[in-house]
Amino acid sequence: MQVDLPDVLAEMTEQFARYEKALVTNDVTVLDELFRADSRTLRYGIGENLYGYDAIMAFRAARSPAGLMRRTAGTVITTYGRDTAVASTLFYRDTAPGKVGRQMQTWVRFPQGWKIVAAHVSIIDEPGDKKTDKKT
């Protein structure tokens, strides 16, 4: 298996950027499109455990659009072969000083395109060592 094929990595980087833009602009249509429509798709959020595409869609539809802006840092996207990828990033919100968010997504290429099949989001106190440059 080849890791980080340049063309696949470029595709995934584009999809990750598309997801990030949709997230901060609350473009629910795009967010729903990027998650796989399947009962096995899951998203562990900051305050919720969502099992299945329908639960994820319902969460997005009910979520307030306020306070979604964030800065990302330390983003790592790794592709495995042509059809699997993991995207990980840290994020910071001005509304949560001293905190750092962490997001990981597993993406799989299906005939319909790249889809998120699993996601995990958490927020912790900013570690004292701060090894990540917040500007990336």
Side-chain angles (χ1 to χ4, degrees):
M1 174 180 295
Q2 293 182 301
V3 176
D4 288 342
L5 290 164
D7 61 322
V8 180
L9 187 57
E11 288 176 23
M12 264 313 307
T13 300
E14 182 180 311
Q15 290 303 310
F16 181 82
R18 187 170 175 233
Y19 174 88
E20 189 63 26
K21 179 180 179 187
L23 181 70
V24 299
T25 62
N26 200 40
D27 188 337
V28 175
T29 301
V30 171
L31 292 170
D32 288 347
E33 175 192 327
L34 292 176
F35 277 81
R36 182 165 190 238
D38 190 279
S39 63
R40 294 164 292 192
T41 300
L42 62 93
R43 179 186 177 275
Y44 293 148
I46 295 166
E48 65 284 335
N49 298 318
L50 305 172
Y51 291 88
Y53 180 75
D54 292 342
I56 296 166
M57 279 183 41
F59 168 79
R60 293 275 184 225
R63 183 176 182 180
S64 168
L68 297 178
M69 290 304 300
R70 66 188 198 169
R71 296 178 310 284
T72 60
T75 302
V76 176
I77 298 171
T78 307
T79 63
Y80 301 92
R82 302 203 70 78
D83 300 319
T84 306
V86 175
S88 306
T89 197
L90 301 176
F91 64 88
Y92 298 86
R93 289 199 164 109
D94 291 340
T95 58
K99 302 283 187 181
V100 58
R102 304 172 301 173
Q103 173 182 294
M104 293 187 79
Q105 301 167 328
T106 302
W107 293 73
V108 176
R109 184 199 313 262
F110 292 92
Q112 304 82 12
W114 286 101
K115 303 292 180 182
I116 300 166
V117 297
H120 187 130
V121 182
S122 60
I123 295 179
I124 62 170
D125 290 336
E126 178 79 29
D129 59 358
K130 294 187 182 182
K131 293 181 182 176
T132 304
D133 179 359
K134 294 181 187 178
K135 296 177 185 174
T136 60

